[in-house]
């Protein structure tokens, strides 16, 4: 059975303030660690009323400290927002404190709007256009110490220097990161939950062109990240997902609000065009009982052949979110593997 992982946004709802959302993330991490999930990643978003955590490295340390087996990482650090040396130092510290359990997932988007991105980067040495590749190369050089002779950075060491950087994963929603991850021999995670690019094409391209020689990992490892809402019945799952439907509709209009309650979502007077928009968005969301979700998801799993399935469940009720992960763990045999 395919390994299961979690992507967490520390979702803020109309009934859960940001501080409580952060504590819910820690509680959920304990829960899925006990279930046998293999990985727990935290995202980086800024200036979003529905996302409580802009600093995944801080949350990684908190969650790794209260869990036992699960790997904890970033899904991801938006590298254009940070000096590569700072990223190297912080993740080396995490690796030193929690050896063998940390992941460094990197993204090339800002994770926010233009004004906030400028505020984040206004004191950095910015480049015109997309400088992700340049920053990635510098981050790698802090690990390999491969700066050219005479380069001023040869006298700078990313501390602690007795531990390596944790495994690096490239995140993407198009073919760019899949090709780059394959070329440099890194792990790859595809964001199906918001991508317009075909997940099968991205994952197939990554596996087909992966170069292990000189790479960071010996063989390709592709993670498929999906959004899913599971409940005991299809009807109950549909109710839970109504919050996500309304939230996505508002986001498409530029309204980045906390996640609404099920009651608010069900009472909303949808127009025909709004219902049609929701149905289009449902192509990125798997909803139903565990059996229903498996039947909807299996064709994509068979075609894309990911090495791991990462699930984001952003529902209003925290206990319902925990239940969703429990049901999916049982459906995919995660609990059985742990018991065995």
């Amino acid at each position: 059975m395919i390994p299961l992982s979690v992507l967490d946004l520390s979702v803020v709802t109309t009934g859960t303030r940001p501080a409580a959302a952060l504590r819910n993330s820690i509680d959920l991490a304990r829960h899925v660690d006990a279930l046998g999930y293999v990985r727990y990643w935290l995202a980086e978003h800024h200036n979003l009323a529905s996302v409580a955590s802009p600093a995944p490295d801080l949350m990684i340390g908190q969650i790794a400290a209260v869990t036992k087996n699960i790997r904890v990482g970033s899904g991801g650090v938006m590298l254009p927002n940070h000096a590569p040396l700072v990223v190297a130092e912080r993740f080396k510290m995490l690796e030193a404190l929690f050896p063998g359990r940390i992941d460094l997932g990197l993204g090339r988007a800002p994770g926010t709007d233009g004004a906030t991105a400028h505020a984040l980067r206004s004191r950095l040495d910015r480049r015109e256009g997309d400088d992700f590749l340049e920053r990635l190369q510098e981050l790698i050089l802090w690990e390999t110490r491969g700066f050219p002779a005479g380069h001023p950075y040869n006298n700078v060491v990313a501390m602690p220097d007795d531990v390596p950087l944790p495994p690096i994963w490239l995140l993407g929603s198009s073919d760019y990161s899949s090709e780059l991850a394959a070329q440099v021999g890194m792990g790859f995670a595809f964001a199906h939950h918001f991508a317009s690019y075909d997940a099968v094409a991205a994952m197939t391209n990554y596996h087909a062109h992966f170069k292990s020689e000189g790479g960071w990992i010996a063989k390709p490892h592709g993670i498929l990240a999906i959004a899913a809402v599971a409940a005991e019945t299809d009807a109950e799952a549909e109710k839970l997902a109504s919050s996500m439907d309304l939230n996505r509709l508002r986001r498409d209009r530029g309204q980045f609000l906390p996640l609404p309650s099920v009651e608010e979502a069900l009472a909303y007077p949808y127009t025909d065009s709004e219902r049609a928009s929701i149905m289009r968005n449902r192509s990125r969301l798997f909803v139903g009982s565990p059996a229903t979700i498996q039947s909807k998801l299996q064709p994509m799993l068979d075609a894309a052949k990911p090495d791991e399935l990462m699930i984001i469940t952003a529902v209003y009720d925290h206990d319902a979110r925990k239940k969703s992960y429990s049901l999916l763990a049982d459906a995919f045999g995660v609990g059985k593997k742990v018991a065995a």
Side-chain angles (χ1 to χ4, degrees):
M1 302 297 285
I2 189 168
L4 298 187
S5 297
V6 175
L7 176 61
D8 182 21
L9 302 183
S10 300
V11 175
V12 180
T13 77
T14 54
T16 306
R17 301 297 299 160
L22 295 175
R23 292 191 291 270
N24 282 345
S25 290
I26 294 173
D27 181 62
L28 179 62
R30 287 195 186 101
H31 178 67
V32 297
D33 185 32
L35 289 173
Y37 281 72
V38 299
R39 209 178 304 273
Y40 197 101
W41 280 6
L42 290 308
E44 175 188 340
H45 290 284
H46 303 271
N47 194 33
L48 286 181
S50 58
V51 180
S53 175
D57 52 330
L58 295 181
M59 287 298 292
I60 289 168
Q62 295 295 314
I63 287 175
V66 299
T67 53
K68 296 180 180 179
N69 301 307
I70 199 167
R71 296 189 66 94
V72 191
S74 54
V77 165
M78 299 296 104
L79 190 55
N81 295 339
H82 308 278
L85 175 59
V86 173
V87 176
E89 289 175 332
R90 291 179 180 178
F91 277 81
K92 278 175 169 283
M93 285 185 66
L94 289 167
E95 181 66 24
L97 294 170
F98 309 101
R101 292 184 55 210
I102 304 300
D103 293 324
L104 173 51
L106 300 172
R108 51 192 284 258
T112 189
D113 59 274
T116 307
H118 182 271
L120 287 165
R121 307 173 190 179
S122 62
R123 296 298 183 267
L124 296 177
D125 179 18
R126 289 173 285 117
R127 302 287 189 269
E128 293 297 325
D130 185 351
D131 64 351
F132 174 79
L133 187 56
E134 180 181 346
R135 289 174 182 269
L136 177 62
Q137 290 172 330
E138 183 182 323
L139 177 64
I140 291 171
L141 288 172
W142 287 117
E143 176 67 8
T144 62
R145 304 303 306 157
F147 291 107
H151 196 285
Y153 288 176
N154 277 323
N155 297 320
V156 182
V157 177
M159 294 295 288
D161 64 351
D162 59 340
V163 295
L165 273 177
I168 298 176
W169 300 76
L170 299 187
L171 282 56
S173 57
S174 68
D175 58 343
Y176 177 89
S177 292
S178 68
E179 293 177 358
L180 180 58
Q183 290 173 7
V184 298
M186 292 179 178
F188 171 61
F190 182 78
H192 172 271
H193 54 292
F194 64 80
S196 57
Y197 190 78
D198 180 47
V200 175
M203 201 63 62
T204 301
N205 181 64
Y206 168 69
H207 282 100
H209 297 98
F210 182 85
K211 297 178 181 179
S212 59
E213 185 177 352
W216 289 71
I217 53 178
K219 60 181 182 179
H221 193 105
I223 299 175
L224 178 63
I226 65 156
V229 179
E232 294 284 359
T233 66
D234 289 352
E236 179 61 24
E238 288 290 338
K239 287 179 60 179
L240 295 173
S242 65
S243 295
M244 299 178 73
D245 291 336
L246 179 55
N247 191 56
R248 180 55 189 259
L249 185 66
R250 288 170 168 171
R251 286 179 65 120
D252 288 345
R253 295 171 174 171
Q255 300 173 358
F256 297 92
L257 303 174
L259 192 73
S261 67
V262 170
E263 291 75 18
E264 180 182 353
L266 293 178
Y268 184 89
Y270 296 98
T271 65
D272 290 341
S273 62
E274 288 173 336
R275 292 186 185 280
S277 178
I278 288 173
M279 290 307 297
R280 288 193 296 271
N281 289 331
R282 278 297 188 96
S283 65
R284 301 188 186 95
L285 177 60
F286 298 88
V287 180
S289 68
T292 297
I293 289 177
Q294 281 189 305
S295 66
K296 292 179 179 178
L297 185 57
Q298 198 59 50
M300 185 166 64
L301 294 179
D302 291 340
K305 295 180 173 57
D307 302 288
E308 188 175 321
L309 185 63
M310 182 170 279
I311 301 167
I312 175 173
T313 301
V315 295
Y316 184 83
D317 183 76
H318 180 59
D319 288 335
R321 181 163 65 145
K322 292 169 67 175
K323 178 69 172 180
S324 179
Y325 282 110
S326 295
L327 291 170
L328 292 174
D330 186 61
F332 281 90
V334 171
K336 295 181 180 64
K337 287 190 295 184
V338 173

